[in-house]
Amino acid sequence: MNVGLYVERAARSFGDRTAIAEGGRSTSFLLLEERTNRLAHALIDRGVKLRDRVILILPNSTEWIEADFGIAKTGAVSVPISPHLHENEIAGLAAAADACLLITNVTLHERLQSVIDKLKLPVLLVGSEGENSYEGAVAAGSAEHICVEVDDAVDGRIIRFTSGTTGSPKGVYLTHRNWLTTAYCMLLDRCNMQADDIYVGTSPFVHAAGLWILPSLIRGSTIEVVDKFDPDHILHLIETNRCTVLQLVPTGLRRLLDNPKADALKRETLRAVSYGGAPIDGVTLREATALMGPKLIQGYGLNEAPIVSTLQQQDHRYAVMDGMNWHQPLGRDVTMAEIALLNEDGQPVPDGDVGEIAVRGPMVFLEYWRNPEATSQAMRTGFFWTGDLGLRGDNGILYLAGRSKEIIVTGGYNVSPHEVEAVLLAHDSVHQCAVVGVPDREWGEQVTAFVVLKRNKHATEAELIDFCRKHLTSYKKPKRIDFVTSLPINSNGKVVRRLLRDRASAA
C-alpha cells in the first residue's frame, strides 16, 4: 500500500475540515488531496518515476507536507534534508541520494546554488514565479487522483540521513510498510489521536515532528505548523485551545517549564505531551509531572526504527522516582516491535542486567542506502542492534543505561564527535582533541571538546568555537572547550572518553 492513499481517504472522510493550519493559512483535507495530486502529476511530467529520489529542503510548512505526500504518490522516495545544515553537509547528503530533483524555496535557493550546479539538479522553488515555480507546477498539474502502486515491503517511502560514530552519513532507507507500521503504532501505543485534536510538533519535520503527520492524517486531526520553537508562542497556542497534542524534545520541555506562563500546561485541552529524541533528567520529569499531571508520553525510537517503545502516562510513576541510580525509563515495547537485550554474543541477558537494545519488527528499516557493509553490521541475529544500552526492570519497563555508540544527542539532534574533532584538528593550533557529550539540564547533552595545543601555538576558546561555527551546523559546534596538556589514553592507544566526561561533569 502506498502511504499517499491515506490523503485520498482523509479527503473522503473529513472533507472541508482543516488538515493544516499555518499562520493565517488553512488547508482542508480536500484541498490537500487536490494539491498533492497536482504536484504528483507535475513531478511525473518532469520525469520522476517509481523508486527515484526527490530531495526536499524546506522549513516546517504546508508545502513541506504537500511535497512529501506528492512525492509518495509518484512512487518516488522522499529525501528530506534539514535546511539548517551547513552547505558542505547538504552537498554530501544530496550527492549520496543520487536524486533526480530538488524541492526548496527561493530563500534557500541562493545558498544551495553551488550544490544545485554541482549535481545538475532540476529544482522546484516555493515562492518563485519563474519557470521553476512550485506553485506554477501545482497549478499546471492535473487534479485527477493518482497514487502509483508500490510493493510496500521493498519500495522506499523515505530516506532519512543520520551520522554514525565515524561521522559518515548513512541514508536510512524506510519502506512504505515501515512508515505505515510506525503510524499505526503511534496511534496504538503513543497517542490515539482523534478528529478534534490539534497537533503541534516543535521539532523539524525532518526529525521527530514528521512522524506525527501520517497519524494525524489518518485520524483527521489538524496539524498546526510551527517553524521554530518559541516557548511564548507554544504556550499561547495552548492557552487559545489550538494545541491538544504537543511534541517536543526535552530541551523544549525544560524551556516551557522555565517560562513565567508555564501554568498554561495545566489546561485540560492539552491532553498529551510527547517528549523524546534526547536524554532527559529526572528533575525535569518530576517538575513536569507535578505541574501537568498524567499528560506526559515518552517515545523511544531511532531513524532505523522510528518507534520502538513508549512510556505511557500511567507509567510515568517509574520516571519520577528519586535515587542515585536513576535510569531514564523508555517504556514498554510497542505492539508491533520485539525488543531484546543482548550481550556481545547475541544472547539475551537476564532482567536487571545491561545489554544492547536490539529490535525487530515491520517498522525496522530495510537497509542503509547503498551501504551493504553498514547494513550487515547493524542487522545481526535477525535484529537491528541500536547501539543503545538498556536493562529491563521487574516492572517490565525498559530503561536506558547508556550508549555503546558515541553519538552526542543535544537538543534532539545527533552529533558525531568524530565530525567535530575533524574540524578542530584542521585548525593550525590544534595538536590533539577529543569531543564528548556532557549531561546538560537544558540540552540533554552539551558538546564539549578537550584540546591539546601544538607547541608554541595559541588559541582561545572563543576562537576555536568560531572556527567550528564556520565549518559545521551551529548545534554541532562545542559549547565549551577545555585546554589540556594530554588526553587519557588506554593500553590500546584509544582515548578514554569516559574519563573526559567524568571530568567535564565534575567541573
Side-chain angles (χ1 to χ4, degrees), residues 164-186:
T165 55
T166 63
S168 301
K170 295 192 291 290
V172 178
Y173 190 86
L174 293 158
T175 67
H176 286 260
R177 183 175 297 178
N178 295 151
W179 207 247
L180 288 167
T181 302
T182 297
Y184 301 153
C185 287
M186 295 282 284

Side-chain angles (χ1 to χ4, degrees), residues 55-127:
I55 296 173
L56 178 58
I57 305 180
L58 287 171
N60 286 8
S61 58
T62 301
E63 288 80 8
W64 195 103
I65 298 172
E66 289 177 350
D68 188 48
F69 280 109
I71 295 166
K73 285 187 170 188
T74 70
V77 185
S78 178
V79 186
I81 297 176
S82 171
H84 302 298
L85 292 177
H86 192 278
E87 293 90 304
N88 293 340
E89 296 168 293
I90 291 175
L93 300 182
D98 189 18
C100 64
L101 189 135
L102 163 67
I103 300 176
T104 186
N105 62 26
V106 292
T107 303
L108 293 164
H109 183 240
E110 183 177 353
R111 185 160 70 88
L112 297 174
Q113 190 62 61
S114 61
V115 178
I116 294 167
D117 292 343
K118 182 178 180 180
L119 300 178
K120 296 180 173 58
L121 272 175
V123 296
L124 282 182
L125 294 176
V126 175

Side-chain angles (χ1 to χ4, degrees), residues 149-162:
E149 186 173 343
V150 299
D151 181 343
D152 61 22
V154 297
D155 284 335
R157 157 70 180 103
I158 195 167
I159 293 176
R160 305 178 100 201
F161 281 100
T162 183

